[in-house]
Coordinates of all heavy atoms in Angstrom, one line a residue:
Y22 N 98.9 91.6 75.6 CA 99.8 91.4 76.7 C 99.8 89.9 77.1 O 98.8 89.2 76.9 CB 99.4 92.2 78.0 CG 99.3 93.7 77.7 CD1 98.1 94.3 77.4 CD2 100.5 94.5 77.7 CE1 98.0 95.7 77.2 CE2 100.4 95.9 77.5 CZ 99.1 96.4 77.2 OH 99.1 97.8 77.0
L23 N 100.9 89.5 77.7 CA 101.0 88.2 78.3 C 101.6 88.3 79.7 O 102.8 88.6 79.8 CB 101.8 87.2 77.5 CG 101.8 85.8 78.0 CD1 100.4 85.1 77.8 CD2 102.8 84.9 77.3
Q24 N 100.8 88.2 80.7 CA 101.2 88.3 82.1 C 101.7 86.9 82.5 O 100.9 85.9 82.4 CB 100.1 88.8 83.0 CG 100.5 88.9 84.5 CD 101.5 90.0 84.8 OE1 101.3 91.1 84.3 NE2 102.6 89.7 85.5
I25 N 102.9 86.7 83.0 CA 103.4 85.4 83.4 C 103.8 85.5 84.9 O 104.6 86.4 85.3 CB 104.6 85.0 82.6 CG1 104.4 85.2 81.1 CG2 105.0 83.6 82.9 CD1 105.6 85.0 80.2
R26 N 103.2 84.6 85.7 CA 103.5 84.6 87.1 C 104.2 83.3 87.4 O 104.1 82.3 86.7 CB 102.2 84.7 87.9 CG 101.5 86.0 87.7 CD 100.2 86.1 88.5 NE 99.2 85.2 87.9 CZ 98.4 85.5 86.9 NH1 98.5 86.7 86.4 NH2 97.6 84.6 86.4
S27 N 104.8 83.2 88.6 CA 105.4 82.0 89.1 C 106.3 81.4 88.1 O 106.2 80.2 87.7 CB 104.4 81.0 89.6 OG 103.6 81.6 90.6
L28 N 107.2 82.2 87.5 CA 108.1 81.7 86.4 C 108.9 80.5 86.9 O 109.4 80.5 88.0 CB 108.9 82.8 85.9 CG 108.3 83.8 84.9 CD1 108.9 85.1 84.9 CD2 108.3 83.1 83.5
R29 N 109.1 79.6 85.9 CA 109.9 78.4 86.1 C 111.0 78.3 85.1 O 110.9 78.9 84.0 CB 109.0 77.2 86.0 CG 107.8 77.2 86.8 CD 106.8 76.1 86.4 NE 105.6 76.0 87.2 CZ 104.5 75.3 86.9 NH1 104.5 74.6 85.8 NH2 103.5 75.4 87.7
P30 N 112.1 77.7 85.4 CA 113.2 77.6 84.4 C 112.7 77.0 83.1 O 113.2 77.4 82.0 CB 114.2 76.6 85.1 CG 114.0 76.9 86.6 CD 112.5 77.1 86.7
E31 N 111.7 76.1 83.1 CA 111.2 75.5 81.9 C 110.4 76.5 81.0 O 110.0 76.2 79.9 CB 110.4 74.3 82.1 CG 109.2 74.5 83.1 CD 109.6 74.1 84.5 OE1 110.8 74.3 84.9 OE2 108.7 73.5 85.2
D32 N 110.1 77.7 81.6 CA 109.5 78.8 80.8 C 110.5 79.5 79.9 O 110.1 80.4 79.1 CB 108.8 79.8 81.7 CG 107.6 79.2 82.5 OD1 106.9 78.4 81.9 OD2 107.4 79.5 83.7
T33 N 111.7 79.3 80.1 CA 112.8 79.9 79.3 C 112.6 79.6 77.8 O 112.5 78.5 77.4 CB 114.2 79.4 79.7 OG1 114.4 79.9 81.1 CG2 115.2 80.0 78.8
A34 N 112.4 80.7 77.0 CA 112.1 80.5 75.6 C 112.1 81.9 75.0 O 112.0 82.9 75.7 CB 110.8 79.8 75.4
A35 N 112.1 81.9 73.7 CA 111.7 83.1 72.9 C 110.2 83.1 72.8 O 109.6 82.1 72.4 CB 112.4 83.2 71.6
Y36 N 109.6 84.3 73.1 CA 108.1 84.4 73.1 C 107.7 85.2 71.9 O 108.3 86.4 71.7 CB 107.6 85.0 74.4 CG 107.6 84.0 75.5 CD1 108.8 83.6 76.1 CD2 106.4 83.5 76.0 CE1 108.8 82.6 77.1 CE2 106.4 82.5 77.0 CZ 107.6 82.1 77.6 OH 107.6 81.2 78.6
Y37 N 106.8 84.7 71.1 CA 106.4 85.4 69.9 C 104.9 85.7 70.0 O 104.1 84.9 70.4 CB 106.6 84.5 68.7 CG 108.0 84.1 68.5 CD1 108.6 83.0 69.1 CD2 108.8 84.9 67.6 CE1 109.9 82.6 68.9 CE2 110.2 84.5 67.4 CZ 110.7 83.4 68.0 OH 112.0 83.1 67.8
C38 N 104.5 86.9 69.5 CA 103.1 87.1 69.3 C 102.7 86.9 67.9 O 103.6 87.0 67.0 CB 102.7 88.5 69.8 SG 103.3 89.9 68.9
A39 N 101.5 86.7 67.6 CA 101.1 86.4 66.2 C 99.6 86.9 66.1 O 98.8 86.9 67.0 CB 101.1 84.9 66.0
A40 N 99.3 87.2 64.8 CA 98.0 87.7 64.5 C 97.3 86.8 63.5 O 97.9 86.3 62.5 CB 98.1 89.1 63.8
D41 N 96.1 86.5 63.9 CA 95.2 85.7 63.0 C 94.2 86.6 62.4 O 93.1 86.8 62.9 CB 94.5 84.6 63.8 CG 93.6 83.7 63.0 OD1 93.5 84.0 61.8 OD2 92.9 82.8 63.6
T42 N 94.6 87.3 61.3 CA 93.7 88.3 60.7 C 92.5 87.8 60.0 O 91.6 88.5 59.6 CB 94.5 89.2 59.8 OG1 95.0 88.4 58.7 CG2 95.7 89.9 60.5
L43 N 92.4 86.5 59.9 CA 91.2 85.9 59.2 C 90.2 85.4 60.2 O 89.1 84.9 59.8 CB 91.7 84.7 58.4 CG 92.7 85.0 57.3 CD1 93.1 83.7 56.5 CD2 92.2 86.0 56.4
S44 N 90.4 85.6 61.5 CA 89.5 85.2 62.5 C 89.3 86.2 63.6 O 90.2 86.9 64.0 CB 89.9 83.9 63.1 OG 89.0 83.4 64.1
H45 N 88.0 86.3 64.0 CA 87.7 87.2 65.2 C 87.8 86.4 66.5 O 88.1 87.0 67.5 CB 86.3 87.7 65.1 CG 86.0 88.6 63.9 ND1 86.7 89.7 63.7 CD2 85.1 88.5 63.0 CE1 86.3 90.3 62.6 NE2 85.3 89.5 62.1
F46 N 87.6 85.1 66.4 CA 87.4 84.3 67.6 C 88.6 83.3 67.8 O 89.5 83.3 67.0 CB 86.1 83.5 67.5 CG 84.9 84.4 67.3 CD1 84.3 84.4 66.0 CD2 84.5 85.3 68.2 CE1 83.2 85.3 65.8 CE2 83.4 86.1 68.0 CZ 82.8 86.1 66.7
V47 N 88.5 82.6 69.0 CA 89.6 81.6 69.3 C 88.9 80.3 69.6 O 87.7 80.2 70.0 CB 90.4 82.1 70.5 CG1 91.2 83.4 70.1 CG2 89.6 82.3 71.7
G48 N 89.7 79.3 69.4 CA 89.2 77.9 69.7 C 90.4 77.0 69.5 O 91.6 77.4 69.6
R49 N 90.1 75.7 69.3 CA 91.2 74.7 69.2 C 92.2 75.0 68.1 O 93.4 74.8 68.2 CB 90.6 73.3 69.0 CG 89.9 72.8 70.2 CD 89.5 71.3 70.0 NE 88.9 70.8 71.2 CZ 88.4 69.5 71.3 NH1 88.5 68.7 70.2 NH2 87.9 69.1 72.4
N50 N 91.7 75.6 67.0 CA 92.6 75.9 65.9 C 93.6 77.0 66.3 O 94.7 77.1 65.6 CB 91.8 76.4 64.7 CG 91.1 75.2 64.0 OD1 91.5 74.1 64.2 ND2 90.1 75.5 63.2
S51 N 93.3 77.7 67.3 CA 94.2 78.8 67.7 C 95.5 78.3 68.3 O 96.5 79.1 68.4 CB 93.5 79.7 68.8 OG 92.3 80.2 68.4
G52 N 95.6 77.0 68.6 CA 96.8 76.4 69.0 C 97.8 76.0 68.0 O 98.9 75.6 68.2
S53 N 97.4 76.2 66.7 CA 98.2 75.8 65.6 C 98.9 77.0 65.0 O 98.3 78.0 64.7 CB 97.4 75.2 64.5 OG 98.2 75.0 63.3
P54 N 100.3 77.0 64.9 CA 101.0 78.1 64.3 C 100.4 78.5 62.9 O 100.4 79.6 62.5 CB 102.4 77.6 64.2 CG 102.5 76.6 65.3 CD 101.2 75.9 65.3
G55 N 99.9 77.5 62.2 CA 99.4 77.7 60.8 C 98.2 78.6 60.8 O 97.8 79.0 59.7
A56 N 97.5 78.8 61.9 CA 96.3 79.6 62.0 C 96.7 81.1 61.9 O 95.8 81.9 61.7 CB 95.5 79.3 63.2
Y57 N 97.9 81.4 62.0 CA 98.3 82.8 62.1 C 99.1 83.3 60.9 O 99.9 82.5 60.4 CB 99.2 83.0 63.4 CG 98.5 82.7 64.6 CD1 98.4 81.4 65.1 CD2 97.8 83.7 65.4 CE1 97.7 81.1 66.2 CE2 97.1 83.4 66.5 CZ 97.0 82.1 66.9 OH 96.3 81.7 68.1
D58 N 98.8 84.5 60.5 CA 99.5 84.9 59.2 C 100.5 86.0 59.4 O 101.2 86.4 58.5 CB 98.4 85.4 58.2 CG 97.3 86.2 58.8 OD1 97.3 86.4 60.0 OD2 96.5 86.7 58.0
Y59 N 100.7 86.5 60.6 CA 101.7 87.5 60.9 C 102.4 87.2 62.2 O 101.7 86.8 63.2 CB 101.2 88.9 60.9 CG 100.7 89.4 59.6 CD1 99.3 89.3 59.2 CD2 101.5 89.9 58.6 CE1 98.8 89.7 58.0 CE2 101.1 90.3 57.4 CZ 99.7 90.2 57.1 OH 99.3 90.6 55.8
W60 N 103.7 87.4 62.3 CA 104.4 87.1 63.5 C 105.4 88.2 63.8 O 105.9 88.9 62.9 CB 105.3 85.8 63.2 CG 104.5 84.6 63.1 CD1 103.8 84.1 62.0 CD2 104.1 83.6 64.1 NE1 103.2 83.0 62.2 CE2 103.3 82.6 63.5 CE3 104.5 83.5 65.5 CZ2 102.9 81.5 64.3 CZ3 104.0 82.4 66.2 CH2 103.2 81.5 65.6
G61 N 105.6 88.4 65.1 CA 106.7 89.3 65.6 C 108.0 88.6 65.6 O 108.1 87.4 65.2
Q62 N 109.0 89.4 66.0 CA 110.4 88.9 66.0 C 110.7 88.1 67.3 O 111.8 87.5 67.3 CB 111.4 90.0 65.8 CG 111.3 90.6 64.4 CD 111.6 89.6 63.3 OE1 112.6 89.0 63.3 NE2 110.7 89.5 62.4
G63 N 109.9 88.3 68.3 CA 110.1 87.6 69.5 C 110.9 88.4 70.6 O 111.6 89.3 70.3
T64 N 110.6 88.0 71.8 CA 111.3 88.6 73.0 C 111.8 87.4 73.9 O 111.0 86.5 74.1 CB 110.4 89.6 73.7 OG1 111.2 90.2 74.7 CG2 109.2 88.9 74.3
Q65 N 113.0 87.5 74.3 CA 113.6 86.4 75.1 C 113.2 86.5 76.5 O 113.4 87.5 77.2 CB 115.1 86.4 74.9 CG 115.8 85.2 75.7 CD 115.5 83.9 75.1 OE1 115.3 83.7 73.9 NE2 115.4 82.9 76.0
V66 N 112.8 85.3 77.1 CA 112.6 85.2 78.5 C 113.5 84.1 79.0 O 113.5 83.0 78.5 CB 111.1 84.9 78.8 CG1 110.9 84.5 80.3 CG2 110.2 86.0 78.4
T67 N 114.3 84.5 80.0 CA 115.2 83.5 80.6 C 115.0 83.5 82.1 O 115.0 84.5 82.8 CB 116.7 83.9 80.4 OG1 116.9 84.0 78.9 CG2 117.6 82.9 80.9
V68 N 114.7 82.3 82.6 CA 114.4 82.1 84.0 C 115.5 81.4 84.7 O 115.8 80.2 84.3 CB 113.0 81.4 84.2 CG1 112.7 81.3 85.7 CG2 111.9 82.1 83.4
S69 N 116.1 82.0 85.7 CA 117.2 81.3 86.4 C 116.6 80.6 87.7 O 115.7 81.1 88.3 CB 118.2 82.3 86.8 OG 117.7 83.3 87.7

């Protein structure tokens, strides 16, 4: 899950979840899209 509070217009985007099946843990590398090997199709969030 991703709980988002105090939404701002700049949060408007397609949000994607991703799986890093080669790692149990998280760290600085977790910020790189290349660390993930599976992706969802995304869900759109639009903030007015």
